[in-house]
């Protein structure tokens, strides 16, 4: 007899066997799922790599191995696995819009990656932040570069926000290739942010607003009150922020707007002299237009951020006595004023004052002057004194006789690297990323206020682009996060340009002058048809009949001018082109600033500093006689005078040339005036034989100096330096003498 | 002339960028007469600018009226010095690139108005024994195309026109009344009216285009034309006579 092995009945046997099979199948299933999950679901990069290979096959590109690709950068202590998915970031043939974004070439590859920041040396997170090792989401959350993951310490910075990391390696100034950072930096300076906040990237901003004393003589309590209540309603792009946004102006930390007004009424400024009677507003209006005042004082409605205040309603704000004093010497009222001295005669000044007092809204009256009644309650005045300090008004408006102030805002050092959980969102629902907090804080400075924690930051008038730029710049305050070896020091030329650009911006030089230009060749069937020149600055020339009547271009000033002459001119301008309607005002440059500007113009024109004297030998007596003959034949004196009589009406007096012009410039200018100064009235006297051959210059007078264009140009250049030799010599900068 | 028109003018030629030379079969001719309606003002005698050299003053004032008249009319009001061109021709007869001329004679520019192809050369000639400068500036963006000084009598200089647009020519050597106009195109369908106001543009591929008619004071007229093989006559092209610009005596109007 055969016993069954288990001693169970066959039916039971079958059931157990079934169960076993079921369990085995389940185990297999779990194993397959586990493998699948581990190899495929949890390694999304694999699918991405495979997807790329399919794309590569379609496009005939080299396929990639299905593996993690990483850049290991020991010096930076980072490992970036980003290229695992972003396979095309630094590759040719993947920049079309139909390539899926993940594979697309870096949008500024040539400019930013190229030879400057190759991926193999810099990785990706150096500029873009993010968790370089991370290739998948954590805890079941999707990857999305941490966009929705509060545990990512460094969320990805994409688009303009990536510019906030540049300054970690490129300290000290505007950064080439980071236009939004640069714009934010300029705004930060312009708006005086460093008056309240320590920056670390920029020094304190100083007195960017006028002193608060003397308002009784300058304006009226009604105007000051309206101004404090809504500065952006009166001048939409003013730098003055609104100190009581989103709340009644009466609710300040110490008494609000009325208290401030009361206190301001007690501050005495410099005594104002009574202007003489008279002045013709029509002549003043014409003068206002001719002098180009509106280059800095843009009219209301202009989209450009003005250098000086809009004057459309200045007649409601400023008293006649104040305008008279201001136009006579702005620095007598505000020692740090950017406004230059317009160099007016007393008659012109009176006319201009008469014109400005008429600039009022219909029905509005001029300020009452000292007779106006300001709030006089002593308690209110005392409260105002405290309110002004707490609000940080003195950060922009340091005022003699008013103590205190200083930086009332928190330091911004390191804010761009601060852990996300340390941003206080107050009653607001937090959003991921530091940028969201900074952006919101600037746009709505009181949004994060809690009852127990009053916030005092005022609201600035910013456009959407400006808000973004300022956000980028604030986020650039990351502290020292890069090893010193990574820091890129600027060349002396770059440093000179950065220093000069800061001054050019501060004093609004570009509102009148072109300083630098972009040149783009326009092609026709591969041949350069013409070069499109886009001037940088000098928009005011639109107001004049032709470029030659507008303030001159300074793009080549560093080549054109002798440095000591330029230095003297910046310190105290003297007439060069008296026929121009506009007049160079006198800027309050100190010696250091004037020298910085000279160095700037030299650097911009790629000229050496100090000045290098003309190395060419003096011409012989016969050559000098020929030059004189050519000068007469070419009728140079139809436009140029040579006696220094200050009567020039068409072209600069050549008696100035000896001290003013660099012979290297004169030589180049005689050959091709339009290249150096587009639009100049100086004609081409040595035209090319063929317009397409650059060096085919000809002379109308082949009978002298062997008909040699270069010899004629040299001789004429020397001749220009001989006029006015009896005039006083220059002072100022040293120059390099090749003989020494 | 209002500013927007100049802006428009400076933009127009870019539309013609893609001009291609193709054989024109059974081409059409557009003909017409541009007239002046109303009575033009007679320019007053011009005063010389105060800083003009006496030698120049003597020479410039000796032969003809100082200022080129704004309106020169022939029989039945036909108006001279009017530029006429077709807009929207994508391809057609070869671009001639015929050389233009700008003669300085008796302190005037001759011709007063001309139309040229981009890429053509223009020969500047001085027939006066004094310095003239021929300074050609594109309207709109006010870009100088060239500014040639010709101090010597009989001197000739050739310059190439590189950019389409309308140029105003002036002499900066104190002769502020001197003025002339050049229209530069990237196609060959342009001309200037004769003293009788007539114009002809021929070998046009049949199609729908815009005829543009320009006068220095009158501004610009536009007329839709359907060009068919053979002659196409455009009627009723007229400018109203306008008062002369206030500073006409200096020839520096409408800036």
């Amino acid at each position: 007899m055969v016993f069954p092995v288990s001693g169970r009945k066959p039916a039971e046997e079958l059931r157990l066997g079934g169960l076993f099979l079921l369990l085995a199948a389940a185990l297999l299933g779990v194993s397959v799922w586990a493998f699948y999950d581990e190899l495929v679901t949890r390694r999304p990069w694999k699918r991405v790599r495979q997807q790329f290979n399919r794309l590569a096959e379609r496009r005939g590109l080299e396929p990639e191995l299905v593996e993690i690709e990483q850049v290991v950068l020991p010096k930076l202590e980072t490992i970036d696995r980003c290229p695992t998915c972003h396979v095309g970031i630094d590759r040719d043939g993947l920049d079309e819009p139909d390539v899926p974004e993940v594979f697309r070439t870096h949008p500024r590859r040539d400019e930013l990656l190229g030879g400057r920041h190759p991926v193999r040396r810099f990785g990706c997170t150096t500029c873009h932040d993010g968790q370089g090792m991370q290739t998948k989401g954590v805890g079941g959350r999707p990857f999305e570069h941490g966009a929705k993951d509060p545990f990512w310490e460094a969320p990805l910075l994409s688009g303009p926000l990536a510019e906030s990391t540049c300054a970690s390696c490129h300290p000290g100034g505007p950064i080439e290739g980071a236009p939004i950072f640069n714009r934010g930096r300029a705004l930060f300076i312009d708006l005086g942010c460093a008056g309240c906040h320590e920056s670390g990237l920029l020094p304190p901003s100083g007195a960017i607003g006028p002193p608060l004393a003397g308002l009784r003589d300058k304006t009226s309590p009604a105007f000051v009150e309206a101004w404090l209540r809504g500065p952006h309603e009166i001048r939409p792009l003013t730098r003055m922020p609104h100190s009581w946004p989103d709340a009644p102006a009466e609710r300040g930390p110490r008494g609000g707007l009325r208290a401030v007004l009361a206190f301001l009424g007690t501050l005495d400024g410099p005594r104002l002299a009574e202007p003489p009677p008279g002045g013709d507003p029509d002549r003043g209006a014409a003068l206002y237009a001719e002098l180009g005042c509106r280059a800095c004082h843009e009219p209301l409605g202009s989209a450009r951020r003005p250098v000086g205040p809009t004057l459309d309603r200045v007649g409601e704000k400023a008293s006649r006595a104040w305008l008279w004093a201001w136009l006579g010497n702005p620095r007598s009222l505000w020692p740090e004023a950017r406004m230059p001295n317009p160099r007016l005669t007393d008659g012109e000044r009176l006319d201009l004052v008469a014109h400005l007092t008429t600039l009022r809204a219909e029905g509005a009256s001029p300020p009452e002057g000292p007779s106006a009644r300001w709030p006089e309650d002593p308690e209110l005045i005392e409260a105002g004194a405290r309110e002004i300090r707490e609000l940080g008004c003195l950060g922009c408006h340091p005022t003699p006789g008013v103590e205190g102030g200083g930086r009332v805002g928190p330091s911004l050092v390191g804010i761009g690297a601060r852990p996300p959980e340390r941003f206080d969102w107050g009653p607001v629902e937090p959003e991921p990323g530091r940028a969201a907090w900074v952006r919101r804080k600037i746009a709505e400075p009181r949004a994060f206020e809690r009852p127990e924690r009053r916030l005092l930051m005022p609201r600035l008038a910013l456009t959407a682009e400006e808000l973004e730029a300022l956000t980028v710049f604030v986020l650039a305050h990351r502290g020292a996060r890069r090893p010193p070896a990574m820091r890129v020091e600027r060349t002396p030329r770059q440093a000179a340009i950065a220093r000069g650009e800061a001054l050019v911006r501060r004093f609004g030089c570009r509102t009148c002058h072109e300083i630098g230009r972009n040149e783009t060749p326009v092609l026709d069937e591969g041949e350069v048809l013409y070069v499109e020149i886009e001037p940088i600055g000098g928009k005011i020339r639109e107001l004049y009949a032709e470029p030659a009547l507008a303030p001159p271009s300074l793009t080549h000033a560093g080549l054109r001018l002798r440095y000591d002459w330029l230095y003297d001119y910046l310190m105290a301008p003297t007439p060069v082109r008296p026929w121009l309607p506009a007049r160079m005002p006198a800027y309050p440059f100190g010696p250091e600033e004037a020298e910085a500007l000279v160095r700037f113009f030299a650097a911009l024109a790629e000229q050496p500093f100090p000045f290098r004297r003309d190395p060419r030998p003096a011409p012989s007596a016969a050559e000098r006689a020929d030059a004189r003959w050519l000068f007469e034949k070419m009728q140079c004196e139809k436009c140029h005078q040579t006696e220094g009589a200050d009567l020039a009406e068409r072209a600069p007096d050549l008696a100035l040339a000896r001290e003013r012009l660099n012979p290297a410039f004169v030589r180049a200018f005689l050959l091709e005036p339009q290249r150096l100064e587009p639009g100049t009235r100086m004609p081409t006297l040595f035209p090319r034989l063929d317009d397409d051959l650059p060096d085919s210059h000809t002379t109308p007078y082949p009978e002298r100096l062997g008909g040699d264009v270069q010899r004629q140009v040299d001789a004429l250049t020397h001749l220009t330096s001989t006029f006015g030799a009896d005039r006083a010599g220059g002072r100022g900068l040293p120059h390099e003498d090749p003989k020494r | 002339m209002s500013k927007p028109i100049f802006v428009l003018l400076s933009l127009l030629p870019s539309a013609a960028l893609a001009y291609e030379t193709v054989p024109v079969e059974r081409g059409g001719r557009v003909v017409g007469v541009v007239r002046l309606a109303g009575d033009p003002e007679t320019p007053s005698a011009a005063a010389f600018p105060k800083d003009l050299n006496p030698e120049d003053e003597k020479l410039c004032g000796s032969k003809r009226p100082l200022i080129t008249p704004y309106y020169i009319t022939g029989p039945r009001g036909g108006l001279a010095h009017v530029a006429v061109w077709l807009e929207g021709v994508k391809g057609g007869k070869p671009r001639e690139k015929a050389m233009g001329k700008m003669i300085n004679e008796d302190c005037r520019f001759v011709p007063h108005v001309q139309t040229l192809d981009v890429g053509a050369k223009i020969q500047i000639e001085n027939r006066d024994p004094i310095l003239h400068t021929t300074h050609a500036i594109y309207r709109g963006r006010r870009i100088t195309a060239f500014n040639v000084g010709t101090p010597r009598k009989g001197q000739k200089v050739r310059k190439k026109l590189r950019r389409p647009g309308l140029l105003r020519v002036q002499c900066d050597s104190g002769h502020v009344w001197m003025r002339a106009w050049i229209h530069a195109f990237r196609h060959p369908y342009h001309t200037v009216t004769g003293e009788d106001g007539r114009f002809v543009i021929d070998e046009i591929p049949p199609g729908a285009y815009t005829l543009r008619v320009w006068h220095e004071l009158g501004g610009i007229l536009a007329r839709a034309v359907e060009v068919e093989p053979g002659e196409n006559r455009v009627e009723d092209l007229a400018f109203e006579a306008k008062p002369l610009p206030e500073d006409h005596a200096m020839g520096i109007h409408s800036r």
Side-chain angles (χ1 to χ4, degrees):
Chain A
M1 169 150 194
V2 182
F3 294 96
V5 178
S6 65
R8 290 182 184 99
K9 287 178 187 157
E12 202 178 344
E13 196 70 32
L14 204 64
R15 238 182 7 249
L16 275 177
L19 190 65
F20 174 76
L21 273 178
L22 208 68
L23 281 173
L27 190 63
L28 187 68
V30 168
S31 308
V32 168
W33 175 80
F35 271 97
Y36 182 82
D37 186 51
E38 181 56 27
L39 293 177
V40 183
T41 315
R42 292 188 172 241
R43 296 188 179 181
W45 58 268
K46 274 202 162 179
R47 266 179 301 164
V48 176
R49 297 284 279 194
Q50 284 156 355
Q51 194 191 337
F52 176 79
N53 283 346
R54 287 195 293 277
L55 177 81
E57 201 182 309
R58 282 203 301 280
R59 298 188 154 243
L61 300 171
E62 198 72 17
E64 295 286 339
L65 291 174
V66 181
E67 62 177 17
I68 291 266
E69 191 176 327
Q70 61 187 14
V71 188
V72 181
L73 302 166
K75 265 196 227 159
L76 288 166
E77 298 172 9
T78 55
I79 297 175
D80 283 355
R81 292 177 167 174
C82 320
T84 304
C85 294
H86 298 287
V87 195
I89 206 76
D90 200 8
R91 269 174 77 152
D92 289 326
L94 290 163
D95 48 5
E96 291 98 357
D98 60 325
V99 175
E101 201 179 346
V102 57
F103 302 134
R104 214 175 295 156
T105 312
H106 195 285
R108 292 166 74 191
R109 178 189 178 206
D110 291 343
E111 188 189 352
L112 296 180
L113 306 185
R116 298 184 181 194
H117 306 93
V119 175
R120 76 192 132 71
R121 275 190 56 210
F122 290 89
C124 305
T125 56
T126 304
C127 301
H128 285 280
D129 264 5
Q131 317 273 83
M133 294 273 279
Q134 207 77 20
T135 55
K136 57 192 176 193
V138 177
R141 283 183 290 270
F143 176 58
E144 292 184 26
H145 300 98
K148 290 177 188 155
D149 191 332
F151 298 105
W152 273 44
E153 268 199 18
L156 187 78
L157 300 171
S158 58
L161 288 177
E163 290 184 23
S164 65
T165 57
C166 304
S168 303
C169 298
H170 301 272
I175 300 167
E176 202 188 323
I180 295 164
F181 168 89
N182 292 342
R183 183 140 187 238
R185 182 179 180 277
L187 277 167
F188 195 90
I189 298 171
D190 199 32
L191 298 170
C193 306
C196 288
H197 299 283
E198 185 191 355
S199 158
L201 295 181
L202 287 168
S205 39
I208 71 154
L212 299 175
L215 296 181
R216 267 179 185 274
D217 296 325
K218 174 181 178 180
T219 182
S220 69
F223 177 83
V224 175
E225 183 169 352
W227 178 242
L228 292 174
R229 212 170 269 288
H232 309 150
E233 282 149 36
I234 296 178
R235 298 208 312 250
L237 281 177
T238 179
R239 301 190 286 173
M240 169 84 173
H242 191 351
S243 287
W244 297 277
D246 324 314
E250 279 61 38
R251 203 206 75 177
R254 302 274 178 239
L257 190 150
R258 291 287 298 172
V260 168
L261 189 64
F263 177 65
L264 292 178
T266 65
L267 301 175
D268 287 326
R271 267 186 96 79
L272 298 184
E274 192 53 38
D280 179 342
D282 293 336
R283 276 206 308 262
L287 196 60
Y288 186 85
E290 278 174 20
L291 292 177
C293 307
R294 64 168 280 184
C296 289
H297 300 282
E298 300 245 5
L300 269 184
S302 163
R304 263 176 280 173
R305 189 167 271 283
V307 174
T310 297
L311 298 179
D312 288 29
R313 287 168 64 183
V314 71
E316 293 166 42
K317 165 188 160 185
S319 67
R320 197 161 169 272
W322 187 87
L323 286 168
W324 172 255
W326 179 252
L327 289 175
N329 178 12
R331 296 217 149 190
S332 67
L333 298 173
W334 176 8
E336 297 86 5
R338 296 199 286 183
M339 165 90 176
N341 186 329
R343 295 165 59 213
L344 304 170
T345 64
D346 281 358
E348 289 171 332
R349 177 152 58 128
L350 209 53
D351 290 342
L352 210 47
V353 169
H355 167 60
L356 293 174
T357 52
T358 65
L359 299 180
R360 301 193 296 264
E362 216 173 297
S365 46
E368 310 96 303
S371 62
R373 281 186 62 86
W374 293 66
E376 278 168 358
D377 174 3
E379 269 180 44
L380 205 56
I381 290 171
E382 203 171 309
R386 288 199 303 268
E387 177 94 3
I388 263 187
R389 288 186 190 100
E390 295 202 14
L391 287 174
C393 306
L394 302 168
C396 290
H397 300 277
T399 303
V402 184
E403 300 295 320
R407 287 170 155 172
V408 300
S411 168
L412 298 178
V413 175
I415 191 174
R418 188 189 295 170
E421 70 275 10
R422 285 189 45 215
F423 287 92
D424 182 358
W425 287 79
V428 176
E429 181 65 30
E431 293 167 45
R434 302 176 186 101
W437 189 91
V438 172
R439 196 181 290 122
R440 182 80 178 266
K441 176 69 188 174
I442 300 171
E444 296 170 52
R446 311 277 165 97
F448 308 140
E449 188 166 274
R450 300 174 202 270
E452 70 278 13
R453 197 168 135 264
R454 303 287 296 277
L455 298 177
L456 299 175
M457 172 155 151
R459 189 177 66 215
L460 299 158
L462 296 170
T463 65
E465 291 94 314
E466 287 174 336
L467 174 62
E468 203 53 34
L470 205 50
T471 303
V472 166
F473 185 71
V474 169
L475 288 172
H477 292 77
R478 295 159 67 88
R481 302 230 311 163
R482 300 282 172 237
M486 296 291 294
R487 289 164 71 92
V488 183
E489 294 307 326
R490 288 180 300 182
T491 64
R493 177 168 183 262
Q494 286 169 329
I497 287 185
R499 172 78 182 107
E501 284 288 353
L503 288 165
V504 162
R505 194 179 160 80
R506 175 162 153 73
F507 290 102
C509 309
R510 279 206 177 92
T511 59
C512 285
H513 297 284
E514 173 204 89
I515 302 179
R517 52 178 84 123
N518 294 319
E519 301 188 357
T520 322
V522 175
L523 303 179
D524 187 21
E525 291 164 10
E527 182 199 350
V528 177
L529 200 59
Y530 55 88
V531 177
E532 193 69 77
I533 292 175
E534 187 204 335
I536 304 175
K539 285 289 264 186
I540 192 188
R541 75 185 157 280
E542 290 167 2
L543 303 181
Y544 299 99
E546 60 177 294
L549 292 177
S553 156
L554 301 183
T555 300
H556 293 289
L559 169 65
R560 176 193 299 254
L561 302 170
R562 288 175 178 270
Y563 302 164
D564 46 3
W565 184 90
L566 176 56
Y567 176 89
D568 288 350
Y569 185 82
L570 290 167
M571 295 295 275
T574 47
V576 176
R577 300 178 176 87
W579 66 92
L580 292 186
R583 185 180 312 170
M584 172 79 173
Y587 281 89
F589 299 129
E592 186 274 331
E593 288 170 320
E595 183 173 337
L597 281 169
V598 173
R599 285 175 183 270
F600 164 71
F601 285 118
L604 196 69
E606 299 184 46
Q607 295 300 304
F609 191 94
F611 189 77
R612 231 171 258 160
R613 283 217 171 122
D614 189 16
R616 304 207 183 197
S620 68
E623 283 171 323
R624 286 209 295 270
D626 280 346
R628 189 71 231 184
W629 184 88
L630 283 168
F631 190 79
E632 272 158 31
K633 282 287 174 192
M634 289 186 164
Q635 301 159 66
C636 307
E637 284 175 286
K638 285 264 168 78
C639 298
H640 291 287
Q641 305 193 353
T642 56
E643 316 81 20
D646 290 339
L647 294 169
E649 294 204 19
R650 286 190 209 133
D653 191 328
L654 291 178
L656 297 171
R658 200 173 64 89
E659 287 168 17
R660 179 174 167 257
L661 296 179
N662 178 355
F665 172 84
V666 178
R667 265 193 292 276
F669 192 63
L670 279 168
L671 277 180
E672 288 183 77
Q674 290 296 332
R675 185 175 66 80
L676 289 164
E677 200 183 326
T680 179
R681 288 182 165 182
M682 169 77 178
T684 305
L685 289 161
F686 298 94
R688 291 190 186 122
L689 184 64
D690 185 325
D691 238 6
D692 293 323
L693 298 176
D695 296 322
S696 63
H697 293 279
T698 60
T699 170
Y701 297 99
E703 57 265 52
R704 291 293 166 106
L705 292 166
D708 183 328
V709 170
Q710 200 55 57
R711 280 183 68 200
Q712 293 191 354
V713 165
D714 283 350
L716 283 169
T717 301
H718 178 266
L719 181 65
T720 58
S721 70
T722 61
F723 300 114
D726 48 340
R727 287 157 61 94
R731 356 173 253 286
L733 294 179
H735 31 50
E736 194 177 275
D737 189 340
K739 280 172 278 179
R740 259 191 299 185
Chain B
M1 186 175 288
S2 66
K3 215 171 184 178
I5 286 173
F6 283 124
V7 173
L8 186 66
L9 267 177
S10 63
L11 292 176
L12 286 176
S14 62
L17 268 180
Y19 186 83
E20 275 178 75
T21 304
V22 291
V24 181
E25 280 163 35
R26 301 192 349 108
R29 270 154 52 92
V30 170
V31 300
V33 184
V34 182
R35 292 181 208 280
L36 182 71
D39 286 325
E41 211 181 312
T42 315
S44 55
F48 285 101
K50 66 179 187 318
D51 62 335
L52 192 67
N53 177 300
E55 183 195 336
D56 284 20
E57 198 172 309
K58 200 168 142 222
L59 181 106
C60 297
S62 61
K63 288 192 188 161
R64 294 200 247 174
L66 201 52
I67 295 177
T68 307
Y70 286 87
Y71 293 113
I72 294 179
T73 50
R76 294 188 297 140
L79 183 61
H81 294 167
V82 173
V84 183
W85 68 95
L86 275 182
E87 193 183 295
V89 191
K90 297 265 188 310
K93 67 179 173 183
R95 289 165 65 184
E96 288 169 34
K97 304 198 179 176
M99 190 158 74
K101 273 187 181 170
M102 189 53 74
I103 298 166
N104 295 257
E105 189 168 21
D106 303 334
C107 303
R108 289 203 198 197
F109 288 118
V110 181
H112 185 59
V113 176
Q114 63 189 308
T115 62
L116 290 172
D117 280 18
V118 165
K121 290 204 170 157
I122 181 161
Q123 178 163 288
I124 295 148
E125 184 183 343
N126 184 8
R127 294 188 182 165
D128 289 337
I130 53 169
L131 171 73
H132 282 303
T133 74
T134 304
H135 187 176
I137 306 171
Y138 284 95
R139 296 313 296 249
R141 290 180 53 205
R142 292 181 245 175
I143 296 160
T144 291
F146 52 80
N147 180 6
V148 177
T150 44
R152 190 164 207 166
K153 186 173 178 175
Q155 193 183 345
K156 293 174 184 169
V157 174
R158 287 178 186 183
K159 297 300 288 184
K160 195 166 169 180
L161 276 178
R162 295 170 184 276
R163 182 197 295 255
L166 168 59
L167 297 118
R168 187 183 186 280
V169 185
Q170 65 187 35
C171 174
D172 296 333
S173 160
H175 311 139
V176 290
W177 63 87
M178 290 176 72
R179 68 184 202 286
W181 301 90
I182 304 168
H183 290 260
F185 299 96
R186 275 190 171 175
H187 63 79
Y189 296 103
H190 50 75
T191 187
V192 178
T193 57
E195 298 229 340
D196 53 1
R198 280 177 197 285
F199 68 90
V200 178
I201 300 175
D202 61 6
E203 287 185 69
I204 309 162
Y209 309 107
T210 306
L211 186 75
R212 299 246 174 213
V213 182
W214 172 96
H215 180 264
E216 62 175 319
L217 282 189
I220 198 162
L221 304 176
R223 182 69 60 82
V225 287
E226 190 74 43
V227 176
E228 287 168 8
E231 185 160 298
N232 299 262
R233 182 162 290 277
V234 183
E235 304 287 349
D236 301 329
L237 289 170
F239 287 103
E240 283 289 330
K242 284 200 176 164
L244 300 185
E246 262 175 42
D247 56 356
H248 76 90
M250 290 294 105
I252 41 179
H253 78 282
S254 70
R255 310 191 292 197

